[in-house]
Amino acid sequence: DRIKALDKAKKYNQPFYLYMSHYAIHIPIDKDMRFYPKYLKKGLTEKEAAYASLIEGMDKSLGDLMDWLDKNDEADNTIIIFMSDNGGLASEPAWRDGELHTYASLIEGMDKNYPLNSGKGSLYEGGIREPMIVKWPGVVSPGTRCDKYLMIEDFYPTILEMAGVQNYRTVQPLDGTSFMPLLKGTGDPSKGRAIVWNFPNIWGNNGPGINLNCSIRKDEWKLVYYYETGKKELFNIPEDIGEKHDVAAQHPDIVKRLSKELGTYLRNVGGQRPGFKATNKPCPWPDEV
């Protein structure tokens, strides 16, 4: 269907926007039989072979789209943005083999988020840091890398700017910021910018950084606050991307500053927070502890 949609746009010489949201890789792990036997022969377990087959199936799908662009002479006239919605699955023994919530990998090249900590559902980097690739011929230099941060909410204003859309009105306030300066190398919109995550509920799985917490990233610092216990952790992400060293005790001033900014933001946007069943009182905001 996606190829047919592109064929139609090409036939009528129309500009096109294709949003391709793959279900894979996701549970239930429904193995892709085109590739599953190959990974069994490589010595993977049945679970890991199924997982690997879905990854290759997704790659095949993306490759088909890129092949269409090449065959229809649209590759140099098309922007491709690739991004995942969360970190890899590392908390489901029913679907993954090996030790949970670790850096360990059962096959080289298909790891569990190495060197990041934890995985999907976690506010550690293994849960919230995703791969992102932008291919924009003539604008983004091939092979370049960027270590600045952004949020997927930034896609909307960025795509509008890519398309040359100006003076637009939106029904809701924009949460995102265009990352065009990162693509063109003209600036850094992440500098001094705070981005926030809030997970005040229980997901279902458990593990490091999962459930009943919130977090803020600003410049090199990242604060994680646990509603239930009041615990706070502080990490310098560029220096410690694996979040092995909690430096909250060494930087109480930074903890206080980020706690205030996080708590103020959550209250201002009507953020939810959990409560204590024993007292029926809400858990404190991060700047109340």
Side-chain angles (χ1 to χ4, degrees):
D1 290 343
R2 61 191 186 279
I3 297 296
K4 289 180 180 179
L6 293 174
D7 285 336
K8 182 178 180 181
K10 182 70 174 181
K11 179 180 179 180
Y12 294 104
N13 195 30
Q14 296 174 333
F16 56 83
Y17 169 79
L18 177 66
Y19 176 74
M20 184 65 188
S21 182
H22 291 85
Y23 182 77
I25 313 328
H26 203 281
I27 60 172
I29 304 298
D30 187 10
K31 63 181 76 75
D32 191 327
M33 291 307 299
R34 295 175 296 175
F35 312 111
Y36 177 67
K38 176 180 71 174
Y39 289 105
L40 286 179
K41 290 178 181 178
K42 288 179 177 289
L44 273 65
T45 65
E46 291 185 359
K47 290 180 183 178
E48 294 299 285
Y51 197 86
S53 74
L54 291 185
I55 292 178
E56 185 161 353
M58 183 187 69
D59 285 348
K60 173 66 166 59
S61 173
L62 294 172
D64 291 344
L65 293 173
M66 296 181 73
D67 286 345
W68 185 94
L69 294 174
D70 287 331
K71 293 175 183 177
N72 288 273
D73 297 322
E74 293 290 353
D76 291 337
N77 192 38
T78 303
I79 302 169
I80 299 175
I81 306 175
F82 173 88
M83 190 179 187
S84 176
D85 60 344
N86 49 251
L89 186 65
S91 61
E92 285 276 3
W95 303 107
R96 298 299 306 271
D97 282 325
E99 187 176 353
L100 301 179
H101 315 300
T102 68
Y103 304 150
S105 171
L106 294 178
I107 54 172
E108 186 175 355
M110 195 189 78
D111 52 45
K112 292 182 180 176
N113 310 318
Y114 178 86
L116 308 179
N117 190 5
S118 198
K120 179 179 179 178
S122 174
L123 291 190
Y124 290 136
E125 293 296 282
I128 61 175
R129 178 184 286 258
E130 298 90 33
M132 178 181 165
I133 302 171
V134 177
K135 179 179 182 291
W136 190 355
V139 177
V140 177
S141 301
T144 54
R145 301 184 66 176
C146 178
D147 61 358
K148 307 307 178 184
Y149 58 85
L150 54 90
M151 292 280 273
I152 200 166
E153 287 86 348
D154 299 338
F155 276 30
Y156 182 64
T158 306
I159 291 172
L160 289 176
E161 187 172 353
M162 288 173 168
V165 178
Q166 300 177 350
N167 302 319
Y168 55 85
R169 292 188 300 172
T170 59
V171 176
Q172 298 288 347
L174 285 182
D175 293 322
T177 299
S178 173
F179 54 84
M180 188 75 85
L182 296 180
L183 299 176
K184 293 187 173 183
T186 58
D188 179 11
S190 72
K191 188 175 182 180
R193 180 190 184 188
I195 53 177
V196 170
W197 299 263
N198 189 36
F199 205 91
N201 57 306
I202 296 176
W203 175 34
N205 295 335
N206 213 334
I210 298 176
N211 299 325
L212 304 175
N213 52 5
C214 57
S215 180
I216 183 172
R217 169 78 188 270
K218 189 170 187 180
D219 294 323
E220 71 269 33
W221 297 107
K222 177 181 170 187
L223 178 79
V224 181
Y225 169 70
Y226 296 85
Y227 284 108
E228 188 175 14
T229 64
K231 181 181 179 181
K232 296 177 183 177
E233 297 173 330
L234 182 69
F235 303 99
N236 186 312
I237 298 302
E239 294 183 1
D240 180 26
I241 196 173
E243 295 167 302
K244 297 180 180 179
H245 308 289
D246 173 16
V247 294
Q250 293 93 308
H251 300 282
D253 54 331
I254 298 176
V255 171
K256 183 177 180 180
R257 172 170 56 83
L258 291 179
S259 295
K260 178 63 177 177
E261 188 164 358
L262 178 57
T264 299
Y265 176 84
L266 291 174
R267 284 191 289 269
N268 286 343
V269 299
Q272 295 182 335
R273 53 177 167 163
F276 298 107
K277 288 185 177 180
T279 62
N280 203 30
K281 292 183 178 180
C283 296
W285 293 113
D287 52 346
E288 295 176 337
V289 175

